[in-house]
Amino acid sequence: MPALAALLLSYRVVLRQLTSVARIIALTLLALVSTVAAFALGRADADLEAAVRLISALGFAVVIPVVSLVFGGAAIGDLRDDKTLVYLWLRPMDRWPIVVGAFLAAVTLTAPITLIPVVLAAVLTGAGGGIVPGTIIAGIVAVVAYCAVFTLLGVWLRKVIVWGLAYILIWEGFIALGGAGVARFAIRKYTRSILVDRTRVDLDLADFSTPVGIIVPLVVAVVALAVASWRLSNQDID
């Protein structure tokens, strides 16, 4: 099967698998927490620093990574768990289109559910100072990077939600705050750096320039998808 046809087939299958009304409603409500909080902050005439900290703490530390985990981890993980991955596996196609198609399906659902509320939150703070473009750029980078990493975890591990939450809450939320060296292995450091670079608000461990904040997570995304493709090609599917 040609690679493009295989990719489109995988994309359609995974997108249909991921599209659950209950899941979408629940995650949208989670994302709207940032919007409501930003609206309240804007009504209180908070300054730019408070607005940036809110977007960083809710949008980039909770909303985007958690929603990306749910869709990215399930993109292939759900197919494997309910024994339907074998139907794609047995088709005469390369393995990388399955991974890329699954990743694109996860991004398709994650992007609107997260970016619209988080960017709207940046607008509603009324802070100005580059917070809206910074949020847009950092948000897109975060969605791509997290979805790719969690797609890899969905290929490699079972109970991906547990491992993904451990990464989000323990590694990024606690261990990565221990120093600049460790923080280099946290996607959040790069997205926060983009926001800081655009707004000039000082956040801890967010000292990269915008180009570095964009390039490194995108490279991580490509590597994650490559490793996921290799792993899928070298594991047994039942």
Side-chain angles (χ1 to χ4, degrees):
M1 180 179 291
L4 181 58
L7 191 155
L8 292 175
L9 172 65
S10 301
Y11 174 81
R12 289 195 300 268
V13 169
V14 175
L15 187 63
R16 185 166 57 248
Q17 178 87 7
L18 292 178
T19 304
S20 160
V21 174
R23 178 185 284 170
I24 290 173
I25 291 174
L27 294 175
T28 300
L29 291 175
L30 170 65
L32 287 173
V33 171
S34 63
T35 308
V36 174
F39 175 75
L41 194 68
R43 297 282 291 181
D45 294 324
D47 60 11
L48 178 60
E49 181 177 352
V52 169
R53 291 186 179 279
L54 174 68
I55 297 300
S56 175
L58 279 180
F60 296 139
V62 178
V63 172
I64 294 177
V66 169
V67 176
S68 298
L69 170 61
V70 172
F71 288 123
I76 289 180
D78 278 5
L79 294 177
R80 183 186 60 197
D81 292 343
D82 65 15
K83 311 299 184 182
T84 56
L85 181 57
V86 67
Y87 297 112
L88 287 176
W89 179 266
L90 292 176
R91 289 176 177 269
M93 65 170 101
D94 294 330
R95 301 307 174 215
W96 70 262
I98 299 177
V99 172
V100 175
F103 159 74
L104 292 176
V107 169
T108 297
L109 293 173
T110 301
I113 289 175
T114 58
L115 295 182
I116 294 173
V118 172
V119 172
L120 181 59
V123 174
L124 290 176
T125 62
I131 189 172
V132 174
T135 300
I136 293 172
I137 297 169
I140 293 171
V141 170
V143 167
V144 171
Y146 280 117
C147 282
V149 169
F150 293 138
T151 297
L152 168 60
L153 291 186
V155 171
W156 203 289
L157 304 170
R158 297 189 182 273
K159 298 183 178 179
V160 63
I161 295 295
V162 174
W163 288 103
L165 287 175
Y167 172 77
I168 294 167
L169 300 177
I170 298 175
W171 182 267
E172 290 201 335
F174 180 69
I175 296 176
L177 300 179
V182 179
R184 292 177 184 275
F185 297 96
I187 294 171
R188 191 186 307 175
K189 176 180 174 67
Y190 298 92
T191 56
R192 283 160 57 97
S193 293
I194 295 171
L195 196 56
V196 165
D197 196 42
R198 301 290 297 188
T199 61
R200 303 303 176 187
V201 171
D202 185 30
L203 296 178
D204 294 337
L205 302 175
D207 51 5
F208 289 134
S209 65
T210 294
V212 173
I214 294 173
I215 292 170
V216 172
L218 295 184
V219 170
V220 168
V222 172
V223 172
L225 295 177
V227 174
S229 300
W230 171 83
R231 174 63 177 175
L232 192 62
S233 299
N234 290 277
Q235 68 180 125
D236 295 327
I237 302 296
D238 52 14

